[in-house]
Amino acid sequence: QLQLVESGGGLVQPGGSLRLSCAVSGVTADYYAIGWFRQAPGKEREGVSCISTSGRVTIYADSVKDRFTMSRDNAKNTVYLQMNSLKPEDTATYFCARSRIGGCSGNVGKATWYGDWGQGTQVTVSS
């Protein structure tokens, strides 16, 4: 079983930036694609971005494309989500998770295609 721990959330003003981190540990931790999801109160958990094992392929939801950038540092077993030009609608709890078969293939995919969810980190964008 892998363990994923998110960090880096906080309160930022609209237009601000934030970098989330997802620390991954466990056997073969760096051999899985990793996805970021977010969930706001009363809404479904939605895919934000995912990154391939190598880091060469990244996929983004249309709502965050050109604003968010995902990367990974396999030496540190850490995945990052750089969030720029944040909007109030980005407010949510952000989770990272390991992709299962079918995840991060063409699109981020469904939440049910991921497992080993972290505990989440809260991002609030407000003035």
Side-chain angles (χ1 to χ4, degrees):
Q1 185 180 16
L2 301 180
Q3 287 187 302
L4 285 72
V5 179
E6 304 94 335
S7 63
L11 174 64
V12 296
Q13 294 184 338
S17 297
L18 207 60
R19 189 181 76 161
L20 306 184
S21 298
C22 175
V24 183
S25 62
V27 179
T28 66
D30 59 340
Y31 291 97
Y32 292 93
I34 301 294
W36 283 100
F37 286 73
R38 66 186 182 186
Q39 188 166 27
K43 296 184 178 180
E44 294 185 358
R45 188 168 297 186
E46 64 172 335
V48 174
S49 180
C50 65
I51 189 167
S52 65
T53 300
S54 67
R56 290 183 290 178
V57 178
T58 53
I59 300 173
Y60 302 93
D62 289 340
S63 59
V64 306
K65 195 172 298 182
D66 299 323
R67 297 189 299 118
F68 291 10
T69 302
M70 196 171 177
S71 61
R72 70 190 301 162
D73 186 339
N74 287 339
K76 296 182 178 180
N77 291 323
T78 302
V79 174
Y80 304 96
L81 182 66
Q82 179 66 46
M83 305 185 295
N84 299 324
S85 302
L86 284 163
K87 305 175 181 179
E89 50 262 46
D90 294 317
T91 296
T93 302
Y94 284 71
F95 302 87
C96 60
R98 172 183 58 84
S99 175
R100 296 169 175 164
I101 296 175
C104 201
S105 180
N107 52 39
V108 178
K110 301 177 180 180
T112 54
W113 298 351
Y114 291 75
D116 298 314
W117 295 91
Q119 82 287 352
T121 185
Q122 178 66 36
V123 172
T124 302
V125 185
S126 176
S127 59

